[in-house]
Coordinates of all heavy atoms in Angstrom, one line a residue:
Q1 N -74.4 -23.3 73.4 CA -75.1 -23.2 74.7 C -75.2 -21.8 75.2 O -75.9 -21.6 76.1 CB -74.5 -24.1 75.7 CG -74.6 -25.6 75.2 CD -73.9 -26.5 76.3 OE1 -73.1 -26.0 77.2 NE2 -74.2 -27.8 76.2
G2 N -74.5 -20.9 74.6 CA -74.6 -19.5 75.0 C -73.8 -19.2 76.3 O -73.9 -18.2 76.9
R3 N -73.0 -20.1 76.7 CA -72.1 -20.0 77.9 C -70.8 -19.4 77.6 O -69.7 -19.9 77.8 CB -72.0 -21.3 78.6 CG -73.3 -21.9 79.1 CD -73.4 -23.3 79.4 NE -72.4 -23.7 80.4 CZ -72.1 -25.0 80.7 NH1 -72.9 -25.9 80.3 NH2 -71.2 -25.3 81.5
F4 N -70.8 -18.2 77.0 CA -69.7 -17.5 76.4 C -68.6 -17.2 77.5 O -67.4 -17.4 77.2 CB -70.1 -16.2 75.7 CG -71.0 -16.4 74.6 CD1 -72.2 -15.7 74.5 CD2 -70.7 -17.3 73.5 CE1 -73.1 -16.0 73.5 CE2 -71.5 -17.5 72.5 CZ -72.8 -16.8 72.4
N5 N -69.0 -16.7 78.7 CA -68.1 -16.4 79.7 C -67.3 -17.6 80.2 O -66.1 -17.5 80.6 CB -68.8 -15.7 80.9 CG -69.3 -14.3 80.5 OD1 -68.8 -13.7 79.6 ND2 -70.3 -13.9 81.2
E6 N -67.9 -18.8 80.2 CA -67.2 -20.0 80.6 C -66.3 -20.5 79.4 O -65.3 -21.1 79.7 CB -68.2 -21.1 80.9 CG -69.0 -20.8 82.2 CD -70.1 -21.8 82.4 OE1 -69.8 -23.0 82.3 OE2 -71.2 -21.3 82.8
A7 N -66.8 -20.3 78.2 CA -66.0 -20.8 77.1 C -64.7 -20.0 76.8 O -63.7 -20.6 76.4 CB -66.9 -20.8 75.8
E8 N -64.8 -18.7 77.0 CA -63.7 -17.8 76.6 C -62.3 -18.3 77.2 O -61.4 -18.4 76.5 CB -64.0 -16.4 76.9 CG -62.8 -15.5 76.4 CD -63.1 -14.0 76.6 OE1 -64.1 -13.6 77.2 OE2 -62.3 -13.2 76.0
P9 N -62.3 -18.5 78.5 CA -60.9 -18.9 79.1 C -60.4 -20.2 78.5 O -59.2 -20.4 78.3 CB -61.2 -19.0 80.6 CG -62.5 -18.3 80.8 CD -63.3 -18.3 79.5
L10 N -61.4 -21.1 78.2 CA -60.9 -22.4 77.6 C -60.4 -22.2 76.2 O -59.4 -22.8 75.8 CB -62.1 -23.3 77.6 CG -62.7 -23.7 79.0 CD1 -63.9 -24.5 78.9 CD2 -61.6 -24.4 79.8
Y11 N -61.0 -21.3 75.4 CA -60.5 -21.0 74.0 C -59.2 -20.3 74.1 O -58.3 -20.7 73.3 CB -61.5 -20.2 73.3 CG -62.7 -20.9 72.6 CD1 -64.0 -20.9 73.1 CD2 -62.5 -21.7 71.5 CE1 -65.0 -21.5 72.5 CE2 -63.5 -22.4 70.9 CZ -64.8 -22.3 71.4 OH -65.8 -23.0 70.8
L12 N -59.1 -19.4 75.0 CA -57.8 -18.7 75.2 C -56.6 -19.7 75.5 O -55.5 -19.6 75.1 CB -57.9 -17.6 76.2 CG -58.7 -16.4 75.7 CD1 -59.0 -15.5 76.9 CD2 -58.0 -15.7 74.6
Q13 N -57.0 -20.5 76.5 CA -56.0 -21.6 76.9 C -55.6 -22.5 75.8 O -54.5 -22.7 75.6 CB -56.6 -22.4 78.1 CG -55.6 -23.4 78.7 CD -56.2 -24.1 79.9 OE1 -57.5 -24.2 80.0 NE2 -55.4 -24.7 80.7
A14 N -56.6 -23.0 75.0 CA -56.3 -23.8 73.8 C -55.4 -23.1 72.9 O -54.5 -23.7 72.3 CB -57.6 -24.3 73.2
K15 N -55.7 -21.8 72.6 CA -55.0 -21.1 71.6 C -53.5 -20.9 72.1 O -52.6 -21.1 71.3 CB -55.5 -19.7 71.4 CG -54.7 -18.7 70.5 CD -55.3 -17.3 70.5 CE -55.2 -16.6 71.8 NZ -54.0 -16.0 72.2
D16 N -53.3 -20.6 73.4 CA -52.0 -20.5 73.9 C -51.2 -21.8 73.9 O -50.0 -21.8 73.6 CB -52.0 -19.8 75.3 CG -52.5 -18.4 75.3 OD1 -52.5 -17.8 74.3 OD2 -53.0 -18.0 76.4
M17 N -51.9 -22.8 74.3 CA -51.2 -24.1 74.3 C -50.8 -24.5 72.9 O -49.7 -25.1 72.6 CB -52.1 -25.2 74.9 CG -52.3 -25.0 76.4 SD -53.6 -26.1 77.1 CE -52.9 -27.7 76.6
T18 N -51.7 -24.3 71.9 CA -51.4 -24.7 70.5 C -50.2 -23.9 70.0 O -49.3 -24.4 69.3 CB -52.7 -24.4 69.6 OG1 -53.7 -25.2 70.2 CG2 -52.4 -24.9 68.2
K19 N -50.2 -22.6 70.3 CA -49.1 -21.7 69.9 C -47.7 -22.2 70.5 O -46.7 -22.1 69.8 CB -49.3 -20.3 70.2 CG -50.3 -19.6 69.3 CD -50.3 -18.1 69.6 CE -51.1 -17.3 68.5 NZ -51.1 -15.9 68.8
R20 N -47.8 -22.7 71.7 CA -46.5 -23.2 72.4 C -46.1 -24.5 71.8 O -45.0 -24.8 71.6 CB -46.8 -23.3 73.9 CG -46.6 -22.0 74.6 CD -46.4 -22.2 76.1 NE -47.5 -23.1 76.7 CZ -48.6 -22.7 77.2 NH1 -48.9 -21.3 77.2 NH2 -49.5 -23.5 77.8
L21 N -47.1 -25.4 71.5 CA -46.8 -26.7 71.0 C -46.3 -26.6 69.6 O -45.4 -27.4 69.2 CB -48.1 -27.6 71.1 CG -48.0 -29.0 70.6 CD1 -47.0 -29.7 71.5 CD2 -49.3 -29.7 70.7
F22 N -46.9 -25.8 68.7 CA -46.6 -25.7 67.4 C -45.9 -24.4 67.1 O -46.5 -23.4 66.8 CB -47.8 -25.9 66.4 CG -48.5 -27.2 66.6 CD1 -49.7 -27.2 67.3 CD2 -47.9 -28.3 66.1 CE1 -50.4 -28.4 67.4 CE2 -48.6 -29.5 66.3 CZ -49.8 -29.6 66.9
K23 N -44.6 -24.3 67.3 CA -43.9 -23.0 67.0 C -44.0 -22.6 65.6 O -43.9 -23.4 64.7 CB -42.4 -23.3 67.4 CG -42.1 -23.8 68.8 CD -41.7 -22.7 69.7 CE -41.3 -23.3 71.0 NZ -42.2 -23.0 72.1
G24 N -44.3 -21.3 65.4 CA -44.4 -20.8 64.1 C -45.8 -21.1 63.5 O -46.8 -21.3 64.3
D25 N -45.9 -21.0 62.2 CA -47.2 -21.2 61.6 C -47.6 -22.7 61.5 O -46.7 -23.5 61.1 CB -47.2 -20.6 60.2 CG -47.2 -19.1 60.2 OD1 -47.4 -18.5 61.2 OD2 -46.9 -18.5 59.2
H26 N -48.8 -23.0 61.9 CA -49.2 -24.4 61.8 C -50.8 -24.4 61.7 O -51.4 -23.5 62.2 CB -48.8 -25.1 63.1 CG -49.1 -26.6 63.0 ND1 -50.3 -27.2 63.3 CD2 -48.2 -27.6 62.8 CE1 -50.2 -28.5 63.2 NE2 -48.9 -28.8 62.8
P27 N -51.3 -25.4 60.9 CA -52.8 -25.3 60.8 C -53.5 -25.4 62.1 O -54.6 -24.8 62.1 CB -53.0 -26.6 59.9 CG -51.7 -26.9 59.2 CD -50.7 -26.4 60.1
S28 N -53.0 -26.1 63.1 CA -53.7 -26.1 64.4 C -53.8 -24.8 65.0 O -54.7 -24.4 65.7 CB -53.0 -27.1 65.3 OG -53.1 -28.4 64.8
V29 N -52.7 -23.9 64.8 CA -52.8 -22.6 65.4 C -53.9 -21.8 64.6 O -54.7 -21.1 65.2 CB -51.4 -21.9 65.2 CG1 -51.5 -20.4 65.6 CG2 -50.4 -22.6 66.0
A30 N -53.9 -21.9 63.3 CA -55.0 -21.2 62.5 C -56.4 -21.7 63.0 O -57.3 -20.8 63.2 CB -54.8 -21.6 61.0
S31 N -56.5 -23.0 63.3 CA -57.8 -23.5 63.8 C -58.2 -22.8 65.2 O -59.4 -22.5 65.4 CB -57.8 -25.0 63.9 OG -57.8 -25.5 62.5
S32 N -57.2 -22.8 66.0 CA -57.5 -22.2 67.4 C -57.8 -20.7 67.3 O -58.8 -20.2 67.9 CB -56.2 -22.3 68.3 OG -56.1 -23.6 68.7
L33 N -57.2 -20.0 66.4 CA -57.5 -18.6 66.2 C -58.9 -18.4 65.6 O -59.7 -17.6 66.0 CB -56.5 -17.9 65.3 CG -55.1 -17.8 65.8 CD1 -54.1 -17.4 64.7 CD2 -55.0 -16.8 66.9
N34 N -59.2 -19.3 64.6 CA -60.5 -19.3 64.0 C -61.6 -19.6 65.1 O -62.6 -18.9 65.1 CB -60.6 -20.3 62.9 CG -62.0 -20.3 62.2 OD1 -62.4 -19.4 61.6 ND2 -62.6 -21.5 62.4
N35 N -61.4 -20.6 65.9 CA -62.4 -20.9 66.9 C -62.6 -19.8 67.9 O -63.8 -19.5 68.3 CB -62.0 -22.2 67.7 CG -62.0 -23.4 66.8 OD1 -62.6 -23.4 65.7 ND2 -61.2 -24.5 67.1
L36 N -61.6 -19.1 68.3 CA -61.7 -18.0 69.3 C -62.4 -16.9 68.5 O -63.3 -16.2 69.1 CB -60.4 -17.5 69.8 CG -60.4 -16.4 70.8 CD1 -61.2 -16.8 72.0 CD2 -58.9 -16.1 71.2
G37 N -62.1 -16.7 67.2 CA -62.9 -15.7 66.4 C -64.3 -16.0 66.4 O -65.2 -15.1 66.5
L38 N -64.7 -17.2 66.2 CA -66.1 -17.7 66.2 C -66.8 -17.2 67.5 O -67.9 -16.7 67.5 CB -66.3 -19.2 66.0 CG -66.1 -19.7 64.6 CD1 -65.9 -21.2 64.6 CD2 -67.2 -19.2 63.7
L39 N -66.2 -17.5 68.6 CA -66.7 -17.1 69.9 C -67.0 -15.6 70.0 O -68.0 -15.2 70.4 CB -65.8 -17.6 71.0 CG -66.2 -17.1 72.5 CD1 -67.5 -17.9 72.9 CD2 -65.1 -17.4 73.5
Y40 N -65.9 -14.9 69.6 CA -66.0 -13.4 69.7 C -67.1 -12.9 68.8 O -67.9 -12.0 69.1 CB -64.7 -12.7 69.4 CG -63.7 -12.9 70.6 CD1 -62.3 -12.6 70.3 CD2 -64.0 -13.3 71.8 CE1 -61.4 -12.7 71.3 CE2 -63.1 -13.4 72.8 CZ -61.8 -13.1 72.6 OH -60.9 -13.2 73.6
N41 N -67.2 -13.5 67.6 CA -68.2 -13.1 66.7 C -69.6 -13.3 67.3 O -70.5 -12.5 67.2 CB -68.1 -13.9 65.3 CG -69.0 -13.3 64.2 OD1 -69.4 -12.3 64.2 ND2 -69.2 -14.2 63.2
N42 N -69.8 -14.5 67.9 CA -71.1 -14.8 68.5 C -71.4 -13.8 69.7 O -72.6 -13.6 70.0 CB -71.1 -16.2 69.0 CG -71.2 -17.2 67.9 OD1 -71.9 -17.0 66.9 ND2 -70.6 -18.4 68.0
Q43 N -70.4 -13.3 70.3 CA -70.6 -12.3 71.3 C -70.8 -10.9 70.8 O -71.0 -10.0 71.6 CB -69.4 -12.3 72.3 CG -69.3 -13.6 73.1 CD -68.0 -13.6 74.0 OE1 -66.9 -13.4 73.5 NE2 -68.2 -13.7 75.3
G44 N -70.6 -10.7 69.5 CA -70.7 -9.4 68.9 C -69.4 -8.6 69.1 O -69.4 -7.3 68.9
R45 N -68.4 -9.2 69.4 CA -67.0 -8.6 69.6 C -66.3 -8.6 68.2 O -65.4 -9.3 68.0 CB -66.3 -9.3 70.7 CG -66.9 -9.1 72.0 CD -66.4 -10.1 73.1 NE -65.0 -9.8 73.3 CZ -64.3 -10.6 74.2 NH1 -64.9 -11.5 74.9 NH2 -63.0 -10.3 74.5
Y46 N -66.9 -7.9 67.3 CA -66.5 -8.0 65.8 C -65.1 -7.6 65.6 O -64.4 -8.3 64.7 CB -67.5 -7.2 65.0 CG -68.9 -7.7 65.1 CD1 -69.9 -6.8 65.5 CD2 -69.3 -9.0 64.9 CE1 -71.2 -7.1 65.6 CE2 -70.6 -9.4 65.0 CZ -71.6 -8.5 65.4 OH -72.9 -8.9 65.5
Q47 N -64.6 -6.6 66.2 CA -63.2 -6.1 65.9 C -62.2 -7.2 66.3 O -61.3 -7.5 65.6 CB -63.0 -4.8 66.6 CG -61.8 -4.0 66.0 CD -61.8 -2.6 66.5 OE1 -62.5 -2.2 67.5 NE2 -61.1 -1.8 65.8
E48 N -62.4 -7.8 67.5 CA -61.5 -8.8 68.0 C -61.6 -10.1 67.1 O -60.6 -10.7 66.8 CB -61.9 -9.1 69.4 CG -61.6 -8.0 70.4 CD -62.2 -8.3 71.8 OE1 -63.4 -8.0 71.9 OE2 -61.5 -8.7 72.7
A49 N -62.8 -10.4 66.8 CA -63.0 -11.6 65.9 C -62.3 -11.4 64.6 O -61.6 -12.3 64.1 CB -64.5 -11.9 65.8
E50 N -62.5 -10.2 64.0 CA -61.9 -10.0 62.6 C -60.4 -10.1 62.7 O -59.8 -10.7 61.8 CB -62.4 -8.6 62.2 CG -61.9 -8.3 60.7 CD -62.4 -7.0 60.2 OE1 -62.8 -6.1 61.0 OE2 -62.6 -6.9 59.0
S51 N -59.8 -9.6 63.7 CA -58.3 -9.7 63.9 C -57.9 -11.1 63.9 O -56.9 -11.5 63.3 CB -57.9 -8.9 65.1 OG -56.5 -9.1 65.3
L52 N -58.6 -11.9 64.7 CA -58.3 -13.3 64.8 C -58.5 -14.1 63.5 O -57.7 -14.9 63.1 CB -59.1 -14.0 65.9 CG -58.7 -13.5 67.3 CD1 -59.9 -14.0 68.3 CD2 -57.4 -14.1 67.7
Y53 N -59.6 -13.8 62.8 CA -59.8 -14.4 61.5 C -58.7 -14.1 60.5 O -58.3 -14.9 59.8 CB -61.2 -14.0 60.9 CG -62.4 -14.6 61.6 CD1 -63.6 -13.9 61.7 CD2 -62.4 -15.9 62.1 CE1 -64.7 -14.4 62.2 CE2 -63.6 -16.4 62.6 CZ -64.7 -15.7 62.7 OH -65.8 -16.2 63.3
L54 N -58.3 -12.8 60.5 CA -57.3 -12.4 59.6 C -56.0 -13.1 59.9 O -55.2 -13.6 58.9 CB -57.1 -10.9 59.6 CG -58.2 -10.1 59.0 CD1 -58.1 -8.6 59.3 CD2 -58.3 -10.3 57.5
Q55 N -55.6 -13.3 61.1 CA -54.4 -14.0 61.5 C -54.5 -15.5 61.1 O -53.6 -16.0 60.5 CB -54.2 -14.0 63.0 CG -53.8 -12.6 63.5 CD -53.7 -12.7 65.1 OE1 -53.0 -13.5 65.7 NE2 -54.5 -11.8 65.7
A56 N -55.7 -16.1 61.3 CA -55.9 -17.5 61.0 C -55.8 -17.6 59.4 O -55.3 -18.6 58.9 CB -57.2 -17.9 61.5
L57 N -56.4 -16.7 58.7 CA -56.5 -16.8 57.3 C -55.1 -16.7 56.7 O -54.7 -17.4 55.8 CB -57.4 -15.7 56.7 CG -57.7 -15.8 55.2 CD1 -58.3 -17.1 54.8 CD2 -58.6 -14.6 54.8
K58 N -54.3 -15.8 57.2 CA -52.9 -15.6 56.7 C -52.1 -16.9 56.9 O -51.4 -17.4 56.0 CB -52.3 -14.5 57.5 CG -50.9 -14.1 57.0 CD -50.4 -12.9 57.8 CE -49.0 -12.5 57.4 NZ -48.5 -11.4 58.1
I59 N -52.2 -17.6 58.0 CA -51.5 -18.8 58.3 C -52.0 -19.9 57.4 O -51.3 -20.6 56.7 CB -51.7 -19.2 59.8 CG1 -50.9 -18.3 60.7 CG2 -51.2 -20.7 60.0 CD1 -51.3 -18.5 62.2
A60 N -53.4 -20.1 57.3 CA -53.9 -21.1 56.5 C -53.6 -21.0 55.0 O -53.3 -21.9 54.4 CB -55.4 -21.1 56.7
E61 N -53.7 -19.7 54.5 CA -53.3 -19.5 53.1 C -51.8 -19.9 52.8 O -51.5 -20.5 51.8 CB -53.6 -18.1 52.7 CG -55.0 -17.8 52.5 CD -55.3 -16.4 52.1 OE1 -54.4 -15.5 52.3 OE2 -56.5 -16.1 51.6
R62 N -51.0 -19.5 53.8 CA -49.6 -19.8 53.6 C -49.2 -21.2 53.7 O -48.5 -21.8 52.9 CB -48.8 -18.9 54.5 CG -47.2 -19.0 54.3 CD -46.4 -18.0 55.1 NE -46.8 -17.8 56.5 CZ -47.4 -16.7 57.0 NH1 -47.6 -15.7 56.2 NH2 -47.7 -16.7 58.2
I63 N -49.8 -21.9 54.7 CA -49.4 -23.3 55.0 C -50.3 -24.3 54.2 O -49.7 -25.3 53.6 CB -49.6 -23.6 56.5 CG1 -48.7 -22.7 57.3 CG2 -49.3 -25.1 56.8 CD1 -47.3 -22.7 57.0
L64 N -51.5 -24.0 54.0 CA -52.5 -25.0 53.4 C -52.8 -24.7 52.0 O -53.3 -25.6 51.2 CB -53.8 -25.1 54.2 CG -53.6 -25.6 55.7 CD1 -54.9 -25.4 56.4 CD2 -53.0 -27.0 55.7
G65 N -52.7 -23.4 51.6 CA -53.1 -22.9 50.3 C -54.5 -22.3 50.3 O -55.3 -22.5 51.2
I66 N -54.7 -21.6 49.3 CA -56.0 -20.8 49.3 C -57.3 -21.6 49.0 O -58.4 -21.2 49.3 CB -55.9 -19.6 48.2 CG1 -55.7 -20.1 46.8 CG2 -54.8 -18.6 48.6 CD1 -55.8 -19.1 45.8
D67 N -57.1 -22.8 48.4 CA -58.2 -23.6 48.1 C -58.5 -24.8 49.1 O -59.4 -25.5 49.0 CB -58.0 -24.2 46.7 CG -58.1 -23.2 45.6 OD1 -58.8 -22.2 45.8 OD2 -57.3 -23.3 44.6
H68 N -57.7 -24.9 50.1 CA -57.9 -25.9 51.2 C -59.2 -25.6 51.9 O -59.6 -24.5 52.2 CB -56.7 -25.9 52.2 CG -56.7 -27.1 53.0 ND1 -57.4 -27.1 54.2 CD2 -56.0 -28.2 53.0 CE1 -57.2 -28.3 54.8 NE2 -56.3 -29.0 54.0
P69 N -59.9 -26.7 52.3 CA -61.2 -26.6 53.0 C -61.1 -25.8 54.3 O -62.0 -25.0 54.6 CB -61.6 -28.0 53.3 CG -60.9 -28.8 52.2 CD -59.7 -28.1 52.0
T70 N -60.0 -25.9 55.0 CA -59.8 -25.1 56.2 C -59.7 -23.6 55.9 O -60.3 -22.8 56.6 CB -58.7 -25.6 57.0 OG1 -58.9 -27.0 57.5 CG2 -58.4 -24.8 58.3
T71 N -58.9 -23.3 54.9 CA -58.8 -21.9 54.5 C -60.1 -21.4 54.0 O -60.4 -20.2 54.4 CB -57.7 -21.9 53.4 OG1 -56.5 -22.5 53.8 CG2 -57.4 -20.4 53.0
Q72 N -60.9 -22.1 53.3 CA -62.2 -21.7 52.8 C -63.1 -21.4 54.0 O -63.9 -20.4 53.9 CB -62.7 -22.7 51.8 CG -62.0 -22.7 50.5 CD -62.5 -23.9 49.6 OE1 -63.3 -24.6 50.0 NE2 -62.0 -23.8 48.4
T73 N -63.0 -22.2 54.9 CA -64.0 -22.1 56.1 C -63.6 -20.8 56.8 O -64.5 -20.0 57.2 CB -63.8 -23.3 57.1 OG1 -64.3 -24.5 56.4 CG2 -64.6 -23.1 58.4
I74 N -62.3 -20.6 57.0 CA -61.9 -19.3 57.8 C -62.4 -18.1 57.0 O -62.9 -17.1 57.5 CB -60.4 -19.4 58.0 CG1 -60.0 -20.5 59.0 CG2 -60.0 -18.0 58.6 CD1 -58.5 -20.7 59.1
R75 N -62.1 -18.2 55.6 CA -62.5 -17.1 54.8 C -64.0 -16.8 54.8 O -64.5 -15.7 54.9 CB -62.1 -17.3 53.3 CG -62.2 -16.1 52.4 CD -61.8 -16.4 51.0 NE -60.4 -16.8 50.9 CZ -59.9 -18.0 50.6 NH1 -60.8 -19.0 50.4 NH2 -58.7 -18.3 50.6
Q76 N -64.8 -17.9 54.8 CA -66.3 -17.8 55.0 C -66.6 -17.2 56.3 O -67.6 -16.3 56.3 CB -66.9 -19.1 54.8 CG -66.9 -19.7 53.4 CD -67.3 -21.1 53.3 OE1 -67.5 -21.8 54.3 NE2 -67.4 -21.6 52.1
N77 N -66.0 -17.6 57.3 CA -66.3 -17.0 58.6 C -66.0 -15.5 58.7 O -66.8 -14.7 59.3 CB -65.5 -17.7 59.8 CG -66.0 -19.1 60.0 OD1 -67.1 -19.5 59.7 ND2 -65.1 -19.9 60.6
L78 N -64.9 -15.1 58.0 CA -64.6 -13.7 57.9 C -65.6 -12.9 57.2 O -66.1 -11.8 57.5 CB -63.2 -13.5 57.3 CG -62.7 -12.1 57.1 CD1 -62.6 -11.4 58.5 CD2 -61.3 -12.1 56.4
E79 N -66.1 -13.5 56.1 CA -67.1 -12.9 55.3 C -68.4 -12.7 56.0 O -69.1 -11.7 56.0 CB -67.3 -13.7 53.9 CG -66.2 -13.5 53.0 CD -66.3 -14.5 51.8 OE1 -67.4 -15.0 51.6 OE2 -65.3 -14.7 51.1
I80 N -68.8 -13.8 56.7 CA -70.0 -13.7 57.6 C -69.9 -12.6 58.6 O -70.8 -11.9 58.8 CB -70.3 -15.1 58.2 CG1 -70.7 -16.1 57.1 CG2 -71.4 -15.0 59.3 CD1 -70.7 -17.5 57.6
L81 N -68.7 -12.5 59.2 CA -68.5 -11.5 60.2 C -68.7 -10.1 59.6 O -69.4 -9.2 60.1 CB -67.1 -11.6 60.8 CG -66.6 -10.4 61.6 CD1 -66.9 -10.6 63.0 CD2 -65.2 -10.1 61.3
R82 N -68.1 -9.9 58.5 CA -68.2 -8.6 57.8 C -69.6 -8.2 57.4 O -70.0 -7.1 57.5 CB -67.2 -8.5 56.6 CG -65.8 -8.5 57.1 CD -64.7 -8.4 56.0 NE -63.4 -8.2 56.5 CZ -62.3 -8.4 55.9 NH1 -62.3 -8.9 54.6 NH2 -61.1 -8.1 56.4
E83 N -70.4 -9.3 57.0 CA -71.8 -9.0 56.6 C -72.5 -8.7 57.9 O -73.4 -7.8 57.8 CB -72.3 -10.3 56.0 CG -71.9 -10.6 54.6 CD -72.3 -11.9 54.0 OE1 -73.0 -12.6 54.7 OE2 -71.8 -12.2 52.9
S84 N -72.3 -9.3 59.0 CA -72.9 -9.0 60.3 C -72.6 -7.6 60.7 O -73.5 -6.9 61.2 CB -72.5 -10.0 61.4 OG -72.9 -11.3 61.1
K85 N -71.3 -7.2 60.6 CA -71.0 -5.9 61.0 C -71.7 -4.9 60.1 O -72.2 -3.8 60.6 CB -69.5 -5.7 60.8 CG -68.6 -6.2 61.9 CD -67.1 -6.1 61.7 CE -66.7 -4.7 61.2 NZ -65.2 -4.7 61.1
E86 N -71.8 -5.1 58.8 CA -72.5 -4.1 57.9 C -74.0 -4.1 58.3 O -74.6 -3.0 58.3 CB -72.3 -4.6 56.5 CG -72.8 -3.6 55.5 CD -72.4 -4.1 54.0 OE1 -71.2 -4.4 53.8 OE2 -73.4 -4.2 53.2
E87 N -74.6 -5.2 58.5 CA -76.0 -5.2 58.9 C -76.3 -4.5 60.2 O -77.2 -3.7 60.3 CB -76.5 -6.7 59.0 CG -76.7 -7.4 57.8 CD -77.0 -8.9 57.9 OE1 -77.3 -9.3 59.1 OE2 -76.9 -9.6 57.0
N88 N -75.4 -4.6 61.2 CA -75.5 -3.9 62.4 C -75.4 -2.4 62.2 O -76.0 -1.6 62.9 CB -74.6 -4.5 63.5 CG -75.0 -5.8 64.1 OD1 -76.2 -6.1 64.0 ND2 -74.1 -6.6 64.6
N89 N -74.4 -2.0 61.4 CA -74.2 -0.6 61.1 C -75.5 0.0 60.4 O -75.8 1.2 60.6 CB -73.0 -0.3 60.2 CG -71.7 -0.6 61.0 OD1 -71.7 -0.5 62.3 ND2 -70.6 -0.9 60.3
N90 N -76.1 -0.8 59.5 CA -77.3 -0.3 58.8 C -78.5 -0.2 59.7 O -79.4 0.7 59.5 CB -77.6 -1.2 57.6 CG -76.6 -1.1 56.6 OD1 -75.9 -0.1 56.4 ND2 -76.5 -2.2 55.7
I91 N -78.5 -0.9 60.8 CA -79.7 -0.9 61.7 C -79.5 0.4 62.6 O -80.5 1.0 62.9 CB -79.7 -2.1 62.6 CG1 -80.0 -3.4 61.8 CG2 -80.6 -2.0 63.8 CD1 -79.9 -4.7 62.5
L92 N -78.3 0.7 62.9 CA -78.1 1.9 63.7 C -78.3 3.1 62.9 O -78.8 4.1 62.9 CB -76.7 2.0 64.3 CG -76.3 0.8 65.2 CD1 -74.8 0.8 65.6 CD2 -77.2 0.7 66.4

């Protein structure tokens, strides 16, 4: 819906709650990090998004394995982000 300013506090709250609920690495934490990364990517906040995707990917690979659908989704989101960054750099 493009209501990024309204969505961000909710994503941050969900991420913090998930981290408190699931101490240590957990797939739900990876999902929360990925979701916040998606928001930042959509806002053009590529550096912040990339950091979140990398954290999420590290957790997902360790807990779920490299071939798990969630891990693959996070990896794809990271690849899309990197392609977007590259395209934006080429435009400038």
